[in-house]
Amino acid sequence: QVQLVESGGGLVQAGGSLRLTCATSGIIFSLNAMGWYRQAPGKQREPVAQISTGSSTNYADSVKGRFTISRDNAKNTVYLQMNGLKPEDTAVYYCNARNTNGWGKIYDYWGQGTQVTVSS
């Protein structure tokens, strides 16, 4: 059974920091690209940061220079360090694991989400 469990969300003042953690089980973590997405009220879910199996990273323009994604294959865990938080970062943050098999079929797994609220 695949499980992705996010933690670390909460309420923080603008300019503050949070570190999100996503602990996984039931997948071969090292073979999965990992990502963080977020969804604000009334908006579509959007990608925030991704890290490949080789630890290459990609960020949304809105978080570049403020957020850092990292992974620990020994702990089957991915992190999102968020600094310089802004009220517009307020959203539910979701962890994603993505694996593509040899035939190109994509497997996506999602966590339940963790709320991040940034007050002005």
Side-chain angles (χ1 to χ4, degrees), residues 37-93:
Y37 290 69
R38 68 186 180 187
Q39 187 167 19
K43 295 188 177 181
Q44 288 192 331
R45 190 174 298 188
E46 63 178 6
V48 175
Q50 293 89 37
I51 185 166
S52 71
T53 56
S55 293
S56 296
T57 58
N58 191 38
Y59 297 93
D61 287 342
S62 59
V63 307
K64 279 181 182 176
R66 299 188 297 123
F67 291 10
T68 302
I69 189 171
S70 61
R71 64 188 297 158
D72 186 335
N73 288 348
K75 296 182 178 179
N76 297 334
T77 300
V78 63
Y79 306 95
L80 185 68
Q81 177 66 44
M82 305 186 294
N83 299 327
L85 282 161
K86 304 175 180 180
E88 52 263 43
D89 294 319
T90 295
V92 177
Y93 284 70

Side-chain angles (χ1 to χ4, degrees), residues 31-34 37 53 96-100 106-110:
L31 298 183
N32 279 262
M34 301 299 298
Y37 290 69
T53 56
N96 169 263
R98 172 166 289 188
N99 180 265
T100 305
I106 296 173
Y107 296 87
D108 267 324
Y109 304 101
W110 295 91

